[in-house]
Amino acid sequence: MIWIPIGAWIAAAVIAVVLLGFCTYEIVWKTKRLRADLVELQAVADQLQDLRGELVVTQERLAATGLR
């Protein structure tokens, strides 16, 4: 009868290892995905900054012509 608690502990250890492995996989996968998303967002932010600069130049030209 000693094998029942030992079997239960072994099963619990196997389940814990599987859960830890799955959690590690999820964290690594999501970290890679978030880093890729961050690179894309930074590219969009750079484009928006360029657009803002172009808008400022356009506003200055418009103000210089007096066509408000």
Side-chain angles (χ1 to χ4, degrees):
M1 286 299 214
I2 191 78
W3 60 271
I4 293 174
I6 292 173
W9 278 106
I10 290 172
V14 168
I15 291 170
V17 168
V18 169
L19 285 174
L20 286 174
F22 178 74
C23 290
T24 301
Y25 165 77
E26 282 289 315
I27 289 171
V28 168
W29 177 79
K30 286 181 182 183
T31 300
K32 287 179 183 178
R33 190 176 127 233
L34 287 173
R35 284 186 180 150
D37 289 348
L38 178 62
V39 168
E40 291 178 22
L41 286 173
Q42 286 174 335
V44 170
D46 292 341
Q47 290 174 348
L48 289 172
Q49 190 65 28
D50 293 342
L51 181 61
R52 182 176 183 223
E54 291 175 18
L55 286 172
V56 167
V57 169
T58 303
Q59 283 179 335
E60 289 172 352
R61 274 196 255 154
L62 187 62
T65 61
L67 294 176
R68 284 201 168 203

